Amino acid sequence: MTILGPPSGLPAPLLAVQDVSTTLPTAAGPLHAVDRVSFTLAAGEAVGVVGESGSGKSMLARTVMGLAPPAARTTGSVRFAGHDLLTASARDLREVLGSGVAMVFQDPATALNPVTRIGRQLAETLRLRGGLDRRAARDRAVELLRTVGIPDPARRARSYPHELSGGMRQRVCIALAVACGPRVLLADEPTTALDVTVQRQILDLLADLRAASGMGMLLITHDLAVVAGRTERLLVMYAGQVVETGPTTEVIRAARHPYTAALLASVPRLEQPSHTRLATVAGLPATAVGATRGCRFAPRCPRARARCRQEDPVLADPRARHGAVPGRDREHAVACFHPVGGGGGAAVRDTAERIR
């Protein structure tokens, strides 16, 4: 398979991920953590990736970055600036990571060195990747902390990670990621474990940085409210596969896959009376271990039929499977034999208002 190029006159995407799979060996058999995922990311574009824990979101980001576990087997291609990051040498990969593609990791408490001061961690990155001398790197580190909204940055640069709040640690991680001016930013659950007010501040910060630099951003989250109004395009993942994709507003307004509809239905609605029982997605998430056959969501799906358990559904339109972009191609595709009629987006729109 190939990724269809953009129409004549439009720029090529910054990042082109084509049929990427990541398989991990386990005692129970091979785990298909990422299974034939394709998408593109254009300059200045934000693409959301949503799904439950274990759906393959973080492993997708790590695979794109060349950070999959050593035992993993990866196939497909990740094209950036003429390089295939999956087959690039360690030297070539070092030239790309940081200045070309950067990542905000999920847990800032473990992403930062606990025994090194914040300013030194930033300065080290700037000296190694930016070529700055010691004094210039120190001054630039303080300026980066100021840019991401940390008060009294000169003093905070002398702090250790444990002396900062969770939201401030996340801002430091963002400063580290954008220190060398990357063209693509992968943000893996950047608002996890933060309260709603800090969530909004972090999302606003990422949006401002994207608008100022024109970088493309992949925003990974389990919360549909986070991507509502903050991304142009959405990938819904389940058990390592993309099951629905399209413009974010269209997917939320008229979800077609039963899994996407179930995620939307599980979002609390503000107008519901207190103590209303929350809707849940029935059953347990699929593990994608061993030989797989049929739709992986079938055991949890109320619409499943015999065909669903025997055949593998594919996204309805091959162009959308390879990353349709609003303005280039507005396809809304779903990998389902019995799609739902759509709707259900009001709940997530209500919740999204709290963090906009």
Side-chain angles (χ1 to χ4, degrees):
M1 296 181 182
T2 58
I3 296 179
L4 300 183
S8 176
L10 290 176
L14 288 178
L15 186 72
V17 176
Q18 177 183 351
D19 287 321
V20 164
S21 296
T22 302
T23 305
L24 302 168
T26 72
L31 169 62
H32 305 283
V34 179
D35 191 0
R36 295 164 293 172
V37 172
S38 298
F39 66 90
T40 59
L41 182 64
E45 182 186 22
V47 173
V49 182
V50 299
E52 295 171 287
S53 296
S55 61
K57 309 183 301 298
S58 295
M59 186 58 68
L60 172 62
R62 289 179 175 273
T63 300
V64 170
M65 289 285 290
L67 299 177
R73 182 174 66 87
T74 59
T75 58
S77 68
V78 178
R79 305 291 302 181
F80 173 81
H83 296 276
D84 184 349
L85 303 187
L86 293 189
T87 59
S89 66
R91 181 176 181 178
D92 288 342
L93 200 58
R94 282 196 298 269
E95 292 298 316
V96 171
L97 299 184
S99 57
V101 183
M103 185 168 175
V104 179
F105 291 92
Q106 183 170 351
D107 184 3
T110 57
L112 298 172
N113 188 333
V115 297
T116 303
R117 297 180 192 273
I118 295 300
R120 184 175 178 181
Q121 295 187 50
L122 279 164
E124 182 180 29
T125 298
L126 292 164
R127 294 184 65 191
L128 292 176
R129 303 294 295 125
L132 301 183
D133 61 30
R134 188 183 301 274
R135 179 185 294 272
R138 184 174 63 247
D139 293 343
R140 177 58 179 158
V142 173
E143 182 59 31
L144 280 168
L145 293 178
R146 181 179 292 108
T147 299
V148 298
I150 291 183
D152 195 0
R155 182 173 67 88
R156 291 299 184 182
R158 298 190 294 272
S159 300
Y160 290 96
H162 72 271
E163 297 177 303
L164 305 181
S165 67
M168 292 179 71
R169 284 196 295 265
Q170 190 62 281
R171 290 174 184 270
V172 172
C173 286
I174 294 172
L176 280 167
V178 303
C180 299
R183 298 172 63 193
V184 172
L185 181 67
L186 311 181
D188 185 10
E189 299 275 11
T191 59
T192 296
L194 302 177
D195 63 51
V196 173
T197 301
V198 179
Q199 281 187 38
R200 177 175 178 173
Q201 293 171 354
I202 295 298
L203 293 172
D204 286 346
L205 171 61
L206 290 171
D208 291 343
L209 291 171
R210 179 167 63 96
S213 65
M215 66 182 177
M217 182 174 70
L218 193 71
L219 180 57
I220 298 169
T221 179
H222 64 277
D223 188 350
L224 279 162
V226 169
V227 297
R230 305 223 177 229
T231 61
E232 288 82 45
R233 192 155 41 95
L234 190 60
L235 308 176
V236 181
M237 290 190 68
Y238 184 78
Q241 298 178 326
V242 175
V243 296
E244 187 164 5
T245 182
T248 301
T249 54
E250 176 67 15
V251 173
I252 290 176
R253 183 190 66 83
R256 303 298 311 280
H257 198 281
Y259 178 61
T260 310
L263 289 178
L264 286 165
S266 66
V267 176
R269 303 193 64 162
L270 297 181
E271 70 272 16
Q272 289 177 332
S274 61
H275 305 294
T276 298
R277 184 178 294 275
L278 298 177
T280 60
V281 184
L284 297 175
T287 59
V289 174
T292 59
R293 183 181 181 184
C295 174
R296 294 177 184 174
F297 188 62
R300 308 174 71 186
C301 181
R303 304 174 68 87
R305 305 292 185 270
R307 181 187 182 189
C308 302
R309 297 177 176 85
Q310 297 171 359
E311 300 180 30
D312 294 333
V314 296
L315 290 172
D317 189 292
R319 292 174 298 171
R321 180 178 183 181
H322 297 305
V325 179
R328 298 176 182 170
D329 188 340
R330 301 191 62 83
E331 294 299 324
H332 177 183
V334 58
C336 183
F337 296 122
H338 304 286
V340 299
V348 74
R349 285 196 297 271
D350 290 342
T351 305
E353 288 298 324
R354 293 181 293 154
I355 58 176
R356 284 182 182 171

